[in-house]
Coordinates of all heavy atoms in Angstrom, one line a residue:
S1 N 41.6 177.8 80.4 CA 41.3 177.1 81.6 C 40.0 176.2 81.4 O 40.0 175.2 82.0 CB 41.0 178.1 82.8 OG 39.8 178.8 82.6
G2 N 39.1 176.7 80.6 CA 38.0 175.9 80.2 C 38.4 174.6 79.4 O 37.9 173.5 79.6
V3 N 39.4 174.8 78.5 CA 39.9 173.7 77.7 C 40.6 172.7 78.7 O 40.4 171.5 78.6 CB 40.9 174.2 76.7 CG1 41.7 173.0 76.0 CG2 40.3 175.1 75.6
L4 N 41.3 173.2 79.6 CA 42.1 172.3 80.5 C 41.1 171.6 81.5 O 41.3 170.4 81.7 CB 43.1 173.1 81.3 CG 44.1 174.0 80.5 CD1 45.0 174.8 81.4 CD2 44.8 173.1 79.5
M5 N 40.1 172.3 81.9 CA 39.1 171.6 82.7 C 38.4 170.5 81.9 O 38.0 169.4 82.4 CB 38.0 172.6 83.3 CG 38.6 173.5 84.4 SD 39.2 172.5 85.8 CE 37.8 171.6 86.3
G6 N 38.1 170.8 80.6 CA 37.6 169.7 79.7 C 38.5 168.5 79.6 O 38.0 167.4 79.7
V7 N 39.8 168.7 79.6 CA 40.7 167.6 79.5 C 40.7 166.8 80.8 O 40.6 165.6 80.8 CB 42.1 168.2 79.3 CG1 43.2 167.0 79.4 CG2 42.3 168.8 78.0
L8 N 40.6 167.5 82.0 CA 40.6 166.8 83.2 C 39.3 166.0 83.4 O 39.2 164.9 83.9 CB 40.7 167.9 84.4 CG 42.0 168.7 84.4 CD1 42.0 169.7 85.5 CD2 43.3 167.8 84.4
L9 N 38.2 166.7 83.1 CA 36.9 166.0 83.3 C 36.7 164.9 82.3 O 36.0 163.9 82.6 CB 35.7 167.1 83.1 CG 35.7 168.1 84.3 CD1 34.6 169.2 84.0 CD2 35.5 167.5 85.6
A10 N 37.4 165.0 81.1 CA 37.3 163.9 80.2 C 37.9 162.6 80.8 O 37.3 161.5 80.7 CB 38.0 164.2 78.9
R11 N 39.1 162.8 81.5 CA 39.7 161.7 82.0 C 38.9 161.1 83.2 O 38.7 159.9 83.3 CB 41.1 162.1 82.5 CG 42.1 162.5 81.4 CD 43.4 162.9 81.9 NE 44.3 163.4 80.9 CZ 45.0 164.5 81.0 NH1 44.9 165.3 82.0 NH2 45.7 164.8 79.9
T12 N 38.5 162.0 84.1 CA 37.7 161.6 85.3 C 36.3 161.1 84.9 O 36.0 160.0 85.3 CB 37.6 162.8 86.2 OG1 38.8 163.3 86.6 CG2 36.9 162.3 87.5
G13 N 35.6 161.9 84.1 CA 34.3 161.5 83.7 C 34.3 160.2 82.9 O 33.4 159.3 83.0
G14 N 35.3 160.1 82.0 CA 35.3 158.9 81.2 C 35.5 157.6 82.0 O 34.9 156.6 81.8
G15 N 36.4 157.7 83.0 CA 36.6 156.6 83.9 C 35.3 156.3 84.7 O 35.0 155.1 84.9
L16 N 34.7 157.3 85.3 CA 33.5 157.0 86.1 C 32.4 156.5 85.2 O 31.7 155.5 85.7 CB 33.0 158.3 86.8 CG 34.0 158.9 87.8 CD1 33.5 160.3 88.2 CD2 34.1 158.0 89.0
I17 N 32.1 157.0 84.1 CA 31.0 156.5 83.2 C 31.3 155.0 82.8 O 30.4 154.2 82.8 CB 30.8 157.4 82.0 CG1 30.3 158.8 82.4 CG2 29.8 156.8 81.0 CD1 30.3 159.8 81.3
A18 N 32.6 154.8 82.5 CA 32.9 153.4 82.1 C 32.7 152.4 83.2 O 32.2 151.3 83.0 CB 34.4 153.3 81.6
Q19 N 33.0 152.8 84.4 CA 32.9 152.0 85.6 C 31.5 151.8 86.0 O 31.0 150.6 86.4 CB 33.7 152.6 86.8 CG 33.7 151.7 88.0 CD 34.5 150.4 87.8 OE1 35.4 150.4 86.9 NE2 34.2 149.4 88.6
W20 N 30.7 152.8 86.0 CA 29.3 152.8 86.5 C 28.2 152.8 85.5 O 27.0 152.6 85.8 CB 29.1 153.9 87.5 CG 30.0 153.9 88.7 CD1 30.6 152.8 89.2 CD2 30.4 155.1 89.5 NE1 31.4 153.2 90.3 CE2 31.4 154.5 90.4 CE3 30.2 156.4 89.4 CZ2 31.9 155.4 91.3 CZ3 30.8 157.3 90.3 CH2 31.6 156.7 91.3
G21 N 28.6 153.1 84.2 CA 27.5 153.2 83.2 C 27.5 152.2 82.2 O 26.9 152.3 81.1
G22 N 28.3 151.1 82.3 CA 28.2 150.0 81.3 C 29.4 149.8 80.5 O 29.2 149.1 79.4
G23 N 30.5 150.3 80.8 CA 31.7 150.1 80.0 C 32.1 151.3 79.2 O 31.5 152.3 79.1
W24 N 33.3 151.1 78.5 CA 33.9 152.2 77.8 C 33.1 152.7 76.6 O 33.1 153.8 76.2 CB 35.3 151.8 77.3 CG 35.3 150.7 76.3 CD1 35.5 149.3 76.6 CD2 35.3 150.8 74.9 NE1 35.4 148.6 75.4 CE2 35.3 149.5 74.3 CE3 35.1 151.9 74.0 CZ2 35.3 149.2 72.9 CZ3 35.1 151.6 72.6 CH2 35.2 150.3 72.1

């Protein structure tokens, strides 16, 4: 479940950081 949450947060966090933190 920790692995799966990591997968989910990678997709979500990656998108948010790219949008608000200066790009991919």
